[in-house]
């Protein structure tokens, strides 16, 4: 993956897949190198502002609702009564905002290692951070793996792993060892969800391995939900849910239908359809 700003275009190249995604940019708004990563923000012609970490598109104003709604509402409507939610990563606060829409949630602890991401989000993506002052939100800037290690057994209802790609700093978040630790801190009936890359590019690798690792970690059900994400590799993305004494193929359908808050992509019927795996994924995952 590389970044190549040519003639007013930002491009993320997916070399191994022989493909790329480009956005026409007006100007670079921000450029900072933190101890953890290189963060850039661009103003684009047609996608609003764009946040890039280490050359990889993280989000744009125009299409982040797809990812953020799918990283939060399926897991929250799967859990019977989510009260304490933990987000690992997610420093832009887009997932946090969606989680806080659920009136039953009492506490959301977000642990992102890099405060620069949250600072840039507050400045250039203010709608994503608009709920940060909610008294239920607790933002921590530290190592998520260490935080999980210090967390009490069976104390969390829902865990959301809103990470970068599983290379470099986030690699460990996809492995059995970390998933076991997540399993330990979830209460019975708990749900975890992990962003799980592209169905087109990664079903036979990252997605299959993550699901196997979740099962090895002790989770008794898994489900991968695909959704469109036009500015990520292949334009198509996924999240994978895992349940601890909870079937993640079922959800509170009536509650989802009657959701009292505004949604742009997620709905009860969308959730049901996202649980249906396309035949090529079924073949690769269930063999
Ligand atoms: N986290 C998932 C980013 C993965 C994108 N990969 C890429 N562009 N190669 C996004 C964080 C949004 N809260």
């Amino acid at each position: 993956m590389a970044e190549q700003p040519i003639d007013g275009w930002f491009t993320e190249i997916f070399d191994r897949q022989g493909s790329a995604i480009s956005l026409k940019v007006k100007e670079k708004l921000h450029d900072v190198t933190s101890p953890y990563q290189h963060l850039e923000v661009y103003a684009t012609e047609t996608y609003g502002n764009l946040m890039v970490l280490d050359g990889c598109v993280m989000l744009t104003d125009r299409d982040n609702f797809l990812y953020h709604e799918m990283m939060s509402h399926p897991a929250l409507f799967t859990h019977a009564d989510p009260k304490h939610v933990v987000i690992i990563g997610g420093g832009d606060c887009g997932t946090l905002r969606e989680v806080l829409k659920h009136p039953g949630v009492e506490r959301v602890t977000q642990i992102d290692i890099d405060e620069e991401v949250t600072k840039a989000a507050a400045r250039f993506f203010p709608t994503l951070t608009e709920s940060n002052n909610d008294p239920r939100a607790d933002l921590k800037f530290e190592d998520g793996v260490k935080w999980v290690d210090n967390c009490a057994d069976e104390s969390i209802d829902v865990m959301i792993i809103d990470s970068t790609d599983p290379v470099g700093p986030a690699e460990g978040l996809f492995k059995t060892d970390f998933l076991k630790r997540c399993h330990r801190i979830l209460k019975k009936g708990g749900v975890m969800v992990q962003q799980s890359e592209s169905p087109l590019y990664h079903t036979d690798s990252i997605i299959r391995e993550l699901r196997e690792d979740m099962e090895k970690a002790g989770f008794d059900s898994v489900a991968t939900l695909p959704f469109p994400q036009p500015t990520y590799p292949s334009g198509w993305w996924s999240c994978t849910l895992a349940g601890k004494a909870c079937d993640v193929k079922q959800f509170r359908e009536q509650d989802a239908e009657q959701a009292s808050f505004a949604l742009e992509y997620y709905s009860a019927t969308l959730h049901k359809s996202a649980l249906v795996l396309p035949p090529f994924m079924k073949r690769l995952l269930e063999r």
Side-chain angles (χ1 to χ4, degrees):
M1 269 163 286
E3 155 213 356
Q4 259 188 5
I6 318 165
D7 293 339
W9 288 80
F10 170 85
T11 298
E12 182 186 339
I13 294 174
F14 327 120
D15 210 26
R16 274 195 298 179
Q17 302 292 342
S19 68
I21 278 182
S22 295
L23 291 169
K24 195 168 193 185
V25 296
K26 289 195 260 203
E27 57 173 325
K28 190 185 260 197
L29 300 173
H30 192 55
D31 190 321
V32 59
T33 301
S34 77
Y36 308 103
Q37 52 208 346
H38 179 206
L39 188 166
E40 296 160 281
V41 179
Y42 294 86
T44 74
E45 291 283 349
T46 55
Y47 278 71
N49 287 349
L50 157 70
M51 185 191 284
V52 178
L53 285 180
D54 288 338
C56 295
V57 173
M58 285 299 115
L59 59 97
T60 76
D61 277 322
R62 187 169 178 183
D63 72 351
N64 79 82
F65 67 98
L66 300 159
Y67 177 94
H68 288 136
E69 291 189 16
M70 290 304 281
M71 284 298 289
S72 48
H73 305 306
L76 284 156
F77 281 121
T78 296
H79 192 283
D81 185 19
K83 288 191 160 58
H84 190 181
V85 178
V86 168
I87 301 168
I88 305 288
D92 54 73
C93 304
T95 299
L96 174 66
R97 181 180 73 158
E98 294 305 313
V99 171
L100 289 166
K101 287 180 179 175
H102 290 250
V105 166
E106 292 171 359
R107 186 142 64 105
V108 192
T109 310
Q110 174 171 292
I111 308 101
D112 194 301
I113 200 161
D114 195 350
E115 190 165 8
E116 290 298 334
V117 177
T118 305
K119 283 198 215 154
R123 210 168 133 198
F124 301 104
F125 300 89
T127 55
L128 299 185
T129 59
E130 71 192 5
S131 305
N132 284 13
N133 292 327
D134 187 310
R136 298 172 296 162
D138 179 15
L139 274 66
K140 296 186 187 301
F141 301 101
E142 53 188 275
D143 182 340
V145 178
K146 284 198 190 127
W147 187 90
V148 169
D149 271 347
N150 292 327
C151 183
D153 288 358
E154 311 219 328
S155 55
I156 308 296
D157 297 310
V158 173
M159 285 198 72
I160 302 176
I161 318 299
D162 182 3
S163 69
T164 50
D165 295 338
V167 283
E171 192 176 346
L173 302 179
F174 285 73
K175 296 275 168 265
T176 314
D177 183 52
F178 176 69
L179 299 167
K180 264 190 195 148
R181 301 173 197 205
C182 295
H183 186 270
R184 175 184 71 76
I185 69 169
L186 280 171
K187 290 184 194 166
K188 291 201 179 63
V191 176
M192 84 168 276
V193 55
Q194 163 75 288
Q195 78 86 3
S196 53
E197 309 282 305
S198 164
L200 190 66
Y201 292 167
H202 306 118
T203 297
D204 204 17
S205 52
I206 295 166
I207 297 176
R208 190 165 42 77
E209 286 157 23
L210 174 64
R211 291 164 57 108
E212 286 166 6
D213 284 349
M214 283 167 156
E215 277 161 1
K216 278 186 216 147
F219 288 96
D220 40 50
S221 67
V222 295
T224 299
L225 282 60
F227 56 90
Q229 190 58 50
T231 56
Y232 284 176
S234 85
W236 196 25
W237 216 245
S238 69
C239 61
T240 297
L241 275 67
K244 173 170 177 173
C246 169
D247 179 5
V248 294
K249 295 210 159 67
Q250 310 284 326
F251 66 105
R252 292 182 288 119
E253 216 174 305
Q254 274 208 333
D255 291 345
E257 266 160 24
Q258 290 159 11
S260 57
F261 43 83
L263 292 160
E264 299 288 346
Y265 183 71
Y266 178 86
S267 71
T269 36
L270 191 290
H271 188 157
K272 249 205 277 190
S273 71
L275 283 166
V276 180
L277 279 182
F280 86 92
M281 287 184 79
K282 229 176 141 71
R283 178 168 50 80
L284 292 172
L285 295 174
E286 288 171 7
R287 68 168 191 220

